[in-house]
Amino acid sequence: MIDCICIEAQINPPENYGEPTILDWKGFNLRPKFLPTGELVVKDYECQVDGLRVLLNRHSIQLSNSLHKFYHGNNYCDFTYSQLVKCIDEICRRFGIEADAWQIKKLEFGFNIDVDKKGLDYLSLFLSYKSKNFHPMLHGGRTYGKKSSLTEYAVKVYDKALQVRFKDKIKLENEILRIEVHYSCRRKLPKGIVTLSDLTKQNNITTLWKSFMEILSIIEFQEEKDFSKSTFEERVLFYASTNSEYLKNEKEIDKKAALITNSKIKQLKARFLKTGFREKLLKDIGGKYLTLFCT
């Protein structure tokens, strides 16, 4: 689903641009923002339109924030391809600017996946992307997700239900895991995606989808653990085995005993590690893509 976006279009400035008062432009009341000089010198103007941040300067207008929220009022429900097209049509109508005149600067593409447990419980399974570790995403000092950031884009995974509770004070009925790619530079956007009109073409959505899946396919995952039928001693041995120095030292002390210990560890891993998380995740996202964009 397309969520947060930043788009920009060139305009001719209003005649009264630069006046230190509310600017009426196409029915929108934009507040002046001033340069930090202590004088009333206008830098640009801004307002909010159904969740979109509108920024107007002398030569361009910029819209940012969530298309999903602009259309639905929230970004935790489904947002289909047909709804995206209607959303873009509405933006063009309200601002009087054609879709192919809006240049895409930033873009988020991702999916909300219904899960059996709290989204937080899955975060530990995401280890790294291109050798970049995932780091906590915080709200008010509390973790709700993880992010792996590169120079021009980032991969995010977070507990969507928890984020909504933090930010919007709404408790959702379902547990939702959100996975998204944030393109912070238009140069990194997949080929063919340049303007807002490009997002109304099915083949470009498919291109975004393929790029998204390629990124997910090289995430390093950790297998899910189930310790419901374990003893304290078994858990101690299991976690001791995650330290590479442990078996090395055991082998130096007593090779025969180390072989027995290693055999026990293999048995514990077979019991406690639940395989298939990556496969199930990719399958669920694939099903979501078909539902939202191909039906």
Side-chain angles (χ1 to χ4, degrees):
M1 297 181 286
I2 306 293
D3 195 13
C4 285
I5 197 169
C6 180
I7 54 177
E8 187 174 278
Q10 300 300 305
I11 62 165
N12 294 318
E15 290 184 1
N16 56 340
Y17 186 94
E19 295 181 5
T21 57
I22 297 294
L23 180 66
D24 183 358
W25 181 78
K26 296 190 176 183
F28 302 111
N29 292 320
L30 295 113
R31 299 178 302 277
K33 295 170 60 184
F34 303 104
L35 292 173
T37 59
E39 301 177 1
L40 294 182
V41 179
V42 173
K43 177 185 176 184
D44 45 38
Y45 297 83
E46 71 172 355
C47 70
Q48 293 282 330
V49 178
D50 293 338
L52 288 180
R53 179 175 181 253
V54 182
L55 190 66
L56 182 77
N57 62 38
R58 188 172 296 278
H59 303 292
S60 67
I61 179 171
Q62 186 180 96
L63 306 183
S64 58
N65 289 341
S66 174
L67 291 186
H68 194 162
K69 278 190 175 181
F70 175 78
Y71 185 84
H72 276 296
N74 70 70
N75 63 352
Y76 51 80
C77 66
D78 286 341
F79 188 32
T80 67
Y81 170 69
S82 61
Q83 291 170 343
L84 171 64
V85 173
K86 291 177 182 177
C87 174
I88 291 172
D89 287 344
E90 177 65 10
I91 286 174
C92 295
R93 183 190 68 80
R94 292 178 70 171
F95 289 91
I97 299 172
E98 296 295 325
D100 58 6
W102 291 102
Q103 297 284 319
I104 299 174
K105 302 292 185 180
K106 300 178 182 179
L107 176 69
E108 283 183 355
F109 183 81
F111 293 89
N112 294 333
I113 303 298
D114 289 334
V115 288
D116 298 327
K117 302 181 295 183
K118 292 181 179 180
L120 281 179
D121 293 340
Y122 296 92
L123 298 186
S124 62
L125 304 182
F126 293 79
L127 296 180
S128 65
Y129 173 72
K130 287 191 173 182
S131 300
K132 295 283 187 179
N133 290 336
F134 281 86
H135 298 289
M137 296 168 61
L138 304 174
H139 179 84
R142 298 176 64 184
T143 298
Y144 69 92
K146 296 174 76 174
K147 176 171 68 173
S148 179
S149 299
L150 285 83
T151 304
E152 298 173 324
Y153 66 107
V155 183
K156 303 178 183 178
V157 54
Y158 53 93
D159 186 328
K160 187 63 184 178
L162 184 60
Q163 185 209 36
V164 169
R165 191 156 76 243
F166 283 164
K167 293 188 175 181
D168 302 323
K169 311 303 180 186
I170 297 174
K171 180 175 175 52
L172 303 182
E173 294 183 3
N174 299 334
E175 298 295 345
I176 300 173
L177 186 69
R178 170 76 177 183
I179 304 172
E180 67 189 26
V181 175
H182 174 76
Y183 298 97
S184 56
C185 174
R186 67 178 180 178
R187 190 169 65 86
K188 190 61 182 178
L189 283 166
K191 186 178 180 179
I193 300 174
V194 179
T195 71
L196 200 56
S197 65
D198 293 326
L199 298 181
T200 66
K201 300 169 185 175
Q202 183 76 54
N203 63 313
N204 287 328
I205 298 297
T206 301
T207 298
L208 267 174
W209 152 252
K210 289 180 178 179
S211 174
F212 179 82
M213 294 302 285
E214 286 173 3
I215 288 172
L216 256 62
S217 69
I218 57 176
I219 290 176
E220 183 183 354
F221 288 94
Q222 177 172 268
E223 292 175 316
E224 194 172 3
K225 305 177 186 69
D226 181 3
F227 292 120
S228 59
K229 297 181 180 180
S230 66
T231 65
F232 173 75
E233 290 77 11
E234 288 173 336
R235 294 193 297 275
V236 169
L237 179 57
F238 177 89
Y239 278 108
S241 71
T242 63
N243 186 334
S244 60
E245 293 296 313
Y246 171 72
L247 285 176
K248 179 182 177 181
N249 292 334
E250 290 297 300
K251 188 176 181 180
E252 291 176 354
I253 295 170
D254 188 330
K255 287 186 178 180
K256 289 186 178 180
L259 288 173
I260 295 172
T261 299
N262 194 41
S263 177
K264 289 181 179 178
I265 291 171
K266 288 181 179 179
Q267 293 174 23
L268 293 179
K269 286 183 176 180
R271 284 174 53 197
F272 301 150
L273 293 180
K274 297 170 62 178
T275 59
F277 174 74
R278 178 205 296 270
E279 290 73 17
K280 185 178 187 306
L281 178 67
L282 295 179
K283 181 180 178 181
D284 289 347
I285 292 175
K288 197 80 171 185
Y289 166 73
L290 291 174
T291 299
L292 297 179
F293 297 114
C294 302
T295 57

